[in-house]
Amino acid sequence: MTVLTSAKSSRITLASLAAAALLSACAPATRNPEDPLEPVNRAVHGFNLAADRFVLRPAAVVTGPVLRSPVGTAISNFSDNLGTPQAVANHLLQARFADATHSAWRFAVNSTIGLAGLFDPATAMGLEERDTDFGATLNAWGAGEGPFVMLPIRGPSNARDAVGEVVDLLTDPLDNVLSDGQQEVATGAFVLSKVGDRARYFETVDSILYGSADSYAQTRLMYQQNRRFELGQEAGDDAFIDPYEDADSN
């Protein structure tokens, strides 16, 4: 597996993968109007399953005890904190000025008292995370979600949110602040955080990917319902399926 030498190059690579997935819209439509790109999406899902089976899942097994410990929590906190400026920018673009101020204070507290975000004193102070992204911004501007797309490595998305991911990756406010070395650390923390998530929710993710009769259809359903609930497009308990609920209750 090739190791990327900078955070910027990793962002460009991920953006290219997302763009390549969007180009699959040129593929012929299938009989399923809810998922016109299903043949391409299933092929990408197969690739993602192989990546999970042979790379991510084994990494989660090996590093699980560490990444489920306070060390893993600190890494996750650090990675999440670095994403907060992007959330502030998107809150502003959505005209959610109270949320932007709230998130800015959260970033200030965790970056100082929380030792560069390794700890999360902001939550204890009532400054809980209010995450958002450019996909949500596009939604606030009236953009429809478009067809479902399965992105290489990144997983389930839709045309609107895939474009949002590309914009977020290429317009991170910290890009012009962090040095190349600091960006490499940020990328490493992001990767370890994702491996930590895989380790933390190991059984739940396994049940979805390897225990479902059709893991692709299950993944698509859960993503669509969760995302719509997150954006306030569906209401009520029946509209939201939390894949990590059972894991969190253990």
Side-chain angles (χ1 to χ4, degrees):
M1 210 178 154
T2 301
V3 178
L4 297 176
T5 58
S6 72
K8 189 65 175 179
S9 62
S10 69
R11 291 188 178 94
I12 293 173
T13 299
L14 289 171
S16 298
L17 290 173
L22 288 178
L23 289 175
S24 66
C26 297
T30 67
R31 294 187 179 89
N32 185 351
E34 296 183 356
D35 187 3
L37 308 177
E38 184 170 352
V40 175
N41 286 333
R42 283 188 177 274
V44 175
H45 179 66
F47 169 80
N48 289 346
L49 274 178
D52 180 82
R53 185 184 301 274
F54 296 111
V55 180
L56 185 56
R57 191 176 187 275
V61 171
V62 172
T63 63
V66 174
L67 294 179
R68 285 193 295 264
S69 72
V71 172
T73 300
I75 293 172
S76 180
N77 288 341
F78 177 75
S79 180
D80 289 346
N81 189 57
L82 290 176
T84 305
Q86 189 78 65
V88 172
N90 279 299
H91 283 313
L92 290 173
L93 291 172
Q94 296 166 31
R96 297 169 60 180
F97 302 115
D99 286 341
T101 301
H102 175 103
S103 295
W105 275 112
R106 174 180 172 81
F107 180 71
V109 169
N110 281 349
S111 296
T112 54
I113 302 174
L115 302 180
L118 292 173
F119 302 97
D120 182 18
T123 295
M125 297 169 61
L127 295 168
E128 76 286 349
E129 183 178 25
R130 296 182 183 177
D131 196 20
T132 190
D133 51 59
F134 195 72
T137 296
L138 291 174
N139 175 72
W141 292 351
E145 64 183 34
F148 176 79
V149 295
M150 185 69 72
L151 301 178
I153 305 300
R154 297 290 285 182
S157 186
N158 56 52
R160 180 197 60 215
D161 289 346
V163 170
E165 286 204 41
V166 173
V167 173
D168 280 334
L169 287 167
L170 298 179
T171 62
D172 188 340
L174 293 182
D175 271 350
N176 297 321
V177 177
L178 300 180
S179 66
D180 288 345
Q182 290 170 331
Q183 289 182 13
E184 289 172 7
V185 171
T187 299
F190 175 80
V191 172
L192 287 175
S193 176
K194 294 308 176 185
V195 175
D197 288 343
R198 182 63 173 92
R200 193 172 298 111
Y201 308 120
F202 191 87
E203 293 183 0
T204 303
V205 175
D206 262 18
S207 69
I208 296 169
L209 295 182
Y210 306 112
S212 303
D214 185 344
S215 63
Y216 169 77
Q218 182 73 0
T219 300
R220 178 182 60 195
L221 174 65
M222 294 181 70
Y223 171 78
Q224 289 175 328
Q225 292 192 343
N226 290 358
R227 183 58 167 168
R228 291 166 186 170
F229 178 88
E230 185 180 74
L231 297 177
Q233 297 170 343
E234 293 185 357
D237 293 340
D238 292 339
F240 180 61
I241 302 174
D242 185 352
Y244 301 141
E245 181 178 4
D246 292 338
D248 288 339
S249 64
N250 289 337

